[in-house]
Amino acid sequence: MKILDVRNLEKSFGGVKAVDQISFHIEEGEVFSIIGPNGAGKTTMFNLITGLYRPDDGRIFFIDRDITKTPTYMLAHLGIARTFQNMRLFGSLTVLENVLSSLLSKRTYNLFSAVMRTKRFAVSEKAAEEKARKFIDFFGLSGKEDYTASSLSYGEQRRLELARALSTEPRLMLIDEPGAGMNPKEIADLAETIKAIRQRYSVTIAIIEHQMNLVMNISDRIMVMDFGEKIMEGTPEEVKKDKRVIEAYLGEEMD
Amino acid sequence: MDILGYVLQQGINGLQLGAVYALIALGYTMVYGVLRLINFAHGDIFMLGAFVAYFLIAKFGIPIYLVFIITMLACAIAGYLIEKIAYKPLRDAPKISLLITAVGVSLFLEYFLSLNAIFTPNYIAFPRPFDVKGYDLAVFTITNVQVLIFIITFISLFLLYLLIYRTNYGRAMRAVSHDKETAALMGIGIDGIISFTFIVGASLAGVGGILYSIAYPQINVFMGIMPGIKSFIAAVLGGIGIIHGAVIGGLIIGICEVFVSAFLSSTFRDGVIFIILFGVLLFKPSGIFGKRIEKV
Amino acid sequence: MRFFRESWIFLIVSVSIYIILKAFFAFNVISPYIQQICLYAVIVALTSLGLNVIYGYTGQFSLGHAAFYGIGAYTSAYLTKVLSIDGVIPFIPVLVFCGLVSGLVGYLIGIPILRLRDDFLAIATLGFGTLVRVFLDNSDKFAESLGGSRGFVGIPRITNLELVFFFLIFVIIITRNLIHSRYGLFWRCIKDDELAATSVGINTANMKLMAFTYGCMLAGIGGALYANLYSFLHPSNFDILRSIDFLIIVIIGGMGSIMGTIYASIIWVGFIEGLRIVLPAQVLDMRWVVIPILLIALMIWRPYGLMSKRRKV
Ligand SMILES: Nc1ncnc2c1ncn2[C@@H]1O[C@H](COP(=O)(O)OP(=O)(O)OP(=O)(O)O)[C@@H](O)[C@H]1O
Ligand SMILES: [Mg+2]
């Protein structure tokens, strides 16, 4: 089943066509990677999907539903979560609160319950906290619940952002350059984490990444972008062999 | 007088006020360009200009052209010092802290100068350097004050144009305005350009202060507040950060204000200006000449 | 009720403070003038708490808080005078109503302007404040009794210790409950990173509006209490300087700390009014020379606000 279907998407900034008539789809359950040189338009694609930018043209469907104009916060409720290329955590909030933010953003209890501290409030808060601890544990952050996000190490912050995204309990998770600034050992761990997310929570994953070994290791399919255009799409094997890709992008790294 | 003549007359009066707003708005827009800061103290520089001119004329009887030069210098120094003392230490601080500081500077200037030992909070009559004469031009009348305002504003704008588009400093300023990081990478001294911007903006506000006081010859330490806010609105209307936008915005605001006073009631003068502000912020936040800005 | 059960320690402490204050008042340990200042301090605390929710917790910089305070004050002055209310009990519904009026105005004005951020929001709220001021200055043209620039006279004096104190306690508990709930969490998320907040599913526009409306409501209640404390109102009580007063309190109180705001209000009012008692009139003018300098120094020294880390209530 197509979980995401992007049709003829287009977005320009001034004279720059950041995304130029791109169509692709993502199958439920797969790991789909987007690669391409800097400025190719990958992050812009994520921003379009999550409604942070409005496309100039084209449509986006999420499980048969047209989400081209759906506001960002609604998308989170529909089941699309994301992380950001340069991490956007709630720096002054604790690790626990960061994860709770997405868990509690669902319909849990209303204003009246909050002010009057009804039973419903207590129950929902407790349930959310228990769940949050599970996510925190899953990403190896237990013990750090009460640390502020900004006090974590870089790698921990990356994992916390994944935890926060995953705790919206999405069906599709968009991950923007999770491996940036990581050493080979951390990259290997990251690959395991991503595989584990997919298995345990049966989430479809779309990932933007420059680290080729990571991409080739985890992806089912890969889309290659350059200058806002889609160059090709295929399995890791096909991408590795494709001349255009090697020319445009992979050249040095694959040798 | 027929209605058309009346409208034209009010138009001229509006341009007179608008010219002053334009001069102040330029300072707001340029500073916003390089620092992304609403320099709340800018209206007080305008006030300072009026007071410096007052002392030069009333106490020393200095010729008018010298009054302009000395006042501009004094305002330039004030603008320079404000930036160096209050804003520079906050270069990397959150935006709001900078804004609060700007409000603080503004309050300080107003209340410090309003002390009885200094200018007092009272209105002072501004000595016009010449008598007002009207020239009847069939449909409407134009006064020598208005002629002076138009000429001086025109000269100032022309000089500003040369400064910004024909000198290296001006080019650097526009570069910083466009993209601070890249400008810094290209070897432009950001600090110098910021100082330069404050100096130019403050000088223009000083000129505005003199012209305003000649046109409306009552000065007071709080006189900068409303013209300051309105000029900022003018800058937003024209598209903040855009030089010619500030000029057009200033003229529009000036004309609107005079028209509302003439045809409606002066009570609603300030109200209408703020309604314009809300309209702009809601429907075209980037202003008349601005491009759409995306978030993220 | 859980509502009270959860805050019993706080309630016991507050009631003790109340009893002490009441004794001071009853036996005239402190002069009526100082008593009035005490009440005023509590009103300021209540109003500042509103700004704290708007700015300290949610990060929406408002330079127009005094306008909502003024709306509450004038509404209450008008109602109590027209309805000739003079007892505390009939005054309570008026207070609530004034809170609702200010809250409603905040809501309506918030829908368009809360899309703006930082400095543009500042200018828009400042603009709104100026509009309200212009309206109040000319209010006699709409209804003679509002007094316009001459001021509103003859407002019944109703505000007393019990009223301000228990309203404050009540508001503190509600605010605390809000802050320590998903709503408070969302507000703080928005303050940290609005974009990330939408991405995790928070309806940021609604949440900002909610914080703003609530904060304006508190200002409205504060204003109403204020009007019926002094029996005289003047438009200049509600200008930008008053907004800055509240702002300074929120900053000193640590931006996002309930008790911090309360302490800061008491200290601030004590400081300002204390100066009025101690210093001769000429020197008193120096106040607004010194305050901005302190403010600038504070910003340079602690750009993220005094005691900027969170503390629990
Ligand atoms: N908000 C914006 N305003 C103007 N231009 C933008 C904006 N966002 C992206 N662009 C431009 O769009 C193009 C694509 O940018 P994008 O961030 O999508 O690239 P990317 O593929 O994610 O690159 P990287 O690998 O460096 O992250 C670039 O030329 C960029 O400058
Ligand atoms: Mg990117």
Side-chain angles (χ1 to χ4, degrees):
Chain A
M1 191 194 77
K2 286 182 187 174
I3 192 164
L4 189 81
D5 192 2
V6 171
R7 296 185 197 155
N8 303 323
L9 213 59
E10 188 157 318
K11 179 75 186 175
S12 314
F13 296 107
V16 186
K17 278 212 166 145
V19 167
D20 190 0
Q21 287 290 330
I22 290 192
S23 302
F24 68 93
H25 77 273
I26 299 177
E27 284 291 329
E28 171 138 46
E30 72 178 341
V31 173
F32 183 88
S33 293
I34 302 178
I35 63 172
N38 292 110
K42 307 177 296 290
T43 299
T44 305
M45 177 59 78
F46 271 16
N47 287 341
L48 287 167
I49 295 171
T50 52
L52 295 179
Y53 293 155
R54 291 291 163 220
D56 301 331
D57 196 13
R59 324 213 97 183
I60 308 166
F61 293 86
F62 179 64
I63 323 178
D64 296 336
R65 181 181 171 141
D66 187 343
I67 57 159
T68 318
K69 294 207 165 87
T70 312
T72 306
Y73 78 94
M74 288 272 284
L75 293 172
H77 295 294
L78 289 176
I80 302 180
R82 74 170 291 179
T83 67
F84 292 89
Q85 180 166 0
N86 15 17
M87 278 193 287
R88 306 189 75 135
L89 288 168
F90 304 120
S92 72
L93 271 57
T94 65
V95 168
L96 183 64
E97 287 170 331
N98 267 275
V99 178
L100 276 174
S101 66
S102 44
L103 283 168
L104 288 173
S105 75
K106 308 211 180 79
R107 272 179 194 284
T108 41
Y109 54 87
N110 61 17
L111 194 57
F112 178 80
S113 292
V115 173
M116 299 313 291
R117 302 267 129 153
T118 60
K119 186 124 194 228
R120 169 118 200 227
F121 165 83
V123 171
S124 315
E125 281 276 327
K126 190 147 172 281
E129 192 174 322
E130 270 167 20
K131 237 183 201 168
R133 287 185 192 280
K134 282 198 189 123
F135 285 113
I136 291 170
D137 195 40
F138 181 76
F139 286 95
L141 291 166
S142 44
K144 302 250 167 172
E145 286 88 348
D146 293 327
Y147 286 51
T148 57
S150 56
S151 72
L152 298 182
S153 71
Y154 179 81
E156 286 169 335
Q157 294 195 5
R158 281 267 172 216
R159 275 181 279 146
L160 177 57
E161 212 191 9
L162 284 172
R164 189 182 66 185
L166 189 61
S167 62
T168 63
E169 302 178 311
R171 299 185 63 174
L172 172 65
M173 198 157 144
L174 310 175
I175 309 176
D176 198 347
E177 294 199 28
M182 287 189 172
N183 61 36
K185 159 94 178 57
E186 288 168 321
I187 295 279
D189 290 345
L190 180 65
E192 291 317 307
T193 310
I194 290 170
K195 285 179 186 165
I197 294 175
R198 174 194 188 181
Q199 245 157 37
R200 169 126 173 229
Y201 296 94
S202 49
V203 191
T204 308
I205 291 173
I207 199 165
I208 295 175
E209 190 46 75
H210 282 294
Q211 310 270 357
M212 273 316 125
N213 33 7
L214 178 62
V215 173
M216 296 305 166
N217 176 354
I218 59 175
S219 314
D220 297 310
R221 283 190 309 134
I222 299 174
M223 173 168 86
V224 189
M225 288 178 68
D226 195 11
F227 290 112
E229 288 175 25
K230 171 168 158 181
I231 299 185
M232 76 156 298
E233 183 186 303
T235 63
E237 294 312 313
E238 289 166 350
V239 169
K240 266 189 225 166
K241 275 184 267 166
D242 193 280
K243 252 216 184 84
R244 289 164 299 174
V245 178
I246 296 170
E247 271 167 23
Y249 181 46
L250 295 171
E252 330 85 74
E253 281 173 69
M254 294 306 290
D255 291 336
Chain B
M1 188 164 47
D2 63 313
I3 184 75
L4 180 69
Y6 185 65
V7 171
L8 269 177
Q9 183 65 57
Q10 294 306 332
I12 293 291
N13 298 348
L15 282 179
Q16 161 188 334
L17 183 59
V20 176
Y21 287 165
L23 288 173
I24 313 176
L26 283 164
Y28 277 112
T29 238
M30 289 190 292
V31 166
Y32 195 90
V34 297
L35 270 192
R36 299 288 179 266
L37 162 76
I38 300 177
N39 179 16
F40 270 94
H42 192 60
D44 302 302
I45 299 275
F46 159 85
M47 171 269 288
L48 200 65
F51 273 89
V52 171
Y54 164 80
F55 279 98
L56 292 176
I57 297 172
K59 301 277 174 333
F60 304 106
I62 283 176
I64 183 77
Y65 68 92
L66 268 181
V67 170
F68 274 100
I69 293 172
I70 298 176
T71 304
M72 284 171 75
L73 268 176
C75 290
I77 293 171
Y80 174 81
L81 289 179
I82 288 173
E83 194 276 322
K84 279 280 178 273
I85 295 170
Y87 300 157
K88 187 151 180 259
L90 285 157
R91 201 61 55 79
D92 301 315
K95 213 168 172 180
I96 299 286
S97 302
L98 194 57
L99 197 65
I100 293 173
T101 306
V103 173
V105 172
S106 167
L107 288 175
F108 170 76
L109 287 175
E110 285 158 20
Y111 285 87
F112 178 69
L113 296 179
S114 78
L115 290 177
N116 285 326
I118 308 187
F119 297 156
T120 79
N122 306 322
Y123 274 97
I124 304 173
F126 187 89
R128 278 193 177 124
F130 47 82
D131 292 327
V132 183
K133 271 203 292 277
Y135 309 102
D136 205 345
L137 301 180
V139 234
F140 57 83
T141 327
I142 188 163
T143 63
N144 51 357
V145 172
Q146 287 169 332
V147 172
L148 176 80
I149 290 183
F150 295 142
I151 291 176
I152 298 283
T153 306
F154 189 80
I155 294 174
S156 307
L157 292 181
F158 182 68
L159 292 178
L160 179 72
Y161 171 82
L162 292 183
L163 197 59
I164 291 184
Y165 291 92
R166 292 281 183 275
T167 69
N168 285 336
Y169 262 107
R171 282 188 202 107
M173 190 189 102
R174 283 184 296 136
V176 172
S177 219
H178 188 254
D179 184 344
K180 210 191 256 177
E181 280 72 37
T182 313
L185 286 178
M186 296 195 322
I188 294 176
I190 302 286
D191 284 347
I193 294 306
I194 290 174
S195 292
F196 170 78
T197 309
F198 271 85
I199 287 172
V200 174
S203 318
L204 289 172
V207 175
I210 306 175
L211 296 179
Y212 189 84
S213 313
I214 294 177
Y216 313 95
Q218 290 283 321
I219 63 172
N220 164 286
V221 287
F222 300 105
M223 67 185 274
I225 301 176
M226 283 318 278
I229 295 178
K230 287 176 191 166
S231 304
F232 176 75
I233 294 176
V236 174
L237 175 64
I240 191 92
I242 300 169
I243 305 279
H244 59 280
V247 176
I248 304 292
L251 295 178
I252 295 177
I253 295 287
I255 290 175
C256 282
E257 182 172 337
V258 168
F259 272 36
V260 170
S261 302
F263 296 103
L264 213 58
S265 149
S266 61
T267 312
F268 301 114
R269 203 175 56 188
D270 300 346
V272 169
I273 304 300
F274 280 105
I275 289 170
I276 293 179
L277 171 69
F278 289 134
V280 175
L281 291 179
L282 287 187
F283 299 110
K284 196 153 190 314
S286 53
I288 300 175
F289 298 102
K291 291 187 210 73
R292 222 165 80 81
I293 316 154
E294 293 258 6
K295 50 185 176 173
V296 186
Chain C
M1 217 165 43
R2 200 182 284 268
F3 175 77
F4 289 115
R5 208 165 63 218
E6 283 199 359
S7 6
W8 63 273
I9 297 183
F10 173 70
L11 280 173
I12 290 175
V13 173
S14 337
V15 170
S16 323
I17 294 174
Y18 164 73
I19 292 170
I20 296 169
L21 269 178
K22 185 71 191 170
F24 276 28
F25 276 43
F27 298 109
N28 278 322
V29 179
I30 45 183
S31 71
Y33 175 62
I34 306 226
Q35 290 181 15
Q36 209 168 34
I37 293 176
C38 289
L39 300 192
Y40 177 60
V42 178
I43 294 171
V44 168
L46 202 153
T47 311
S48 306
L49 202 54
L51 185 62
N52 192 18
V53 170
I54 297 174
Y55 175 47
Y57 282 103
T58 319
Q60 307 183 87
F61 189 65
S62 167
L63 278 177
H65 204 58
F68 298 98
Y69 183 61
I71 290 171
Y74 270 81
T75 310
S76 176
Y78 185 76
L79 286 179
T80 48
K81 195 170 173 187
V82 169
L83 304 174
S84 45
I85 288 171
D86 55 3
V88 169
I89 301 299
F91 184 45
I92 290 175
V94 174
L95 275 180
V96 173
F97 180 76
C98 293
L100 292 178
V101 169
S102 284
L104 180 68
V105 175
Y107 179 81
L108 293 177
I109 196 84
I111 292 174
I113 71 172
L114 292 183
R115 284 195 282 170
L116 306 169
R117 232 172 283 174
D118 298 344
D119 39 11
F120 279 84
L121 183 59
I123 253 325
T125 47
L126 176 71
F128 177 72
T130 313
L131 275 182
V132 170
R133 174 74 204 271
V134 169
F135 175 78
L136 293 181
D137 271 330
N138 298 288
S139 56
D140 48 346
K141 299 192 180 106
F142 303 94
E144 186 56 41
S145 61
L146 293 179
S149 52
R150 281 169 289 118
F152 193 133
V153 290
I155 307 161
R157 283 180 193 241
I158 310 172
T159 305
N160 64 10
L161 178 65
E162 285 72 22
L163 203 57
V164 292
F165 201 81
F166 287 104
F167 251 90
L168 180 67
I169 301 303
F170 188 65
V171 162
I172 288 178
I173 295 179
I174 293 185
T175 308
R176 195 218 48 179
N177 287 357
L178 280 173
I179 293 301
H180 296 287
S181 76
R182 59 198 285 253
Y183 299 98
L185 180 62
F186 298 161
W187 292 339
R188 285 162 46 223
C189 288
I190 289 170
K191 184 184 178 183
D192 262 20
D193 191 331
E194 193 172 335
L195 208 93
T198 48
S199 300
V200 299
I202 298 169
N203 184 346
T204 50
N206 266 358
M207 286 303 124
K208 289 200 297 185
L209 196 53
M210 183 175 153
F212 194 71
T213 307
Y214 179 69
C216 292
M217 255 171 75
L218 297 196
I221 296 174
L225 288 167
Y226 172 79
N228 295 79
L229 174 65
Y230 284 110
S231 84
F232 173 73
L233 294 180
H234 191 267
S236 67
N237 296 138
F238 307 104
D239 60 4
I240 171 152
L241 287 183
R242 185 50 30 84
S243 293
I244 288 172
D245 256 348
F246 295 132
L247 194 64
I248 290 174
I249 289 171
V250 172
I251 294 170
I252 297 179
M255 307 222 259
S257 154
I258 295 178
M259 288 326 279
T261 303
I262 308 294
Y263 301 142
S265 305
I266 294 165
I267 293 169
W268 186 252
V269 172
F271 171 67
I272 297 283
E273 300 299 323
L275 285 185
R276 209 192 287 277
I277 297 169
V278 178
L279 296 179
Q282 307 97 307
V283 189
L284 200 61
D285 292 341
M286 289 293 289
R287 219 171 37 176
W288 280 104
V289 178
V290 178
I291 290 170
I293 295 180
L294 292 178
L295 193 62
I296 296 169
L298 180 67
M299 284 298 126
I300 294 177
W301 176 51
R302 280 283 167 90
Y304 292 88
L306 216 57
M307 315 179 262
S308 65
K309 280 286 154 271
R310 289 174 324 107
R311 288 176 310 177
K312 301 248 167 186
V313 189

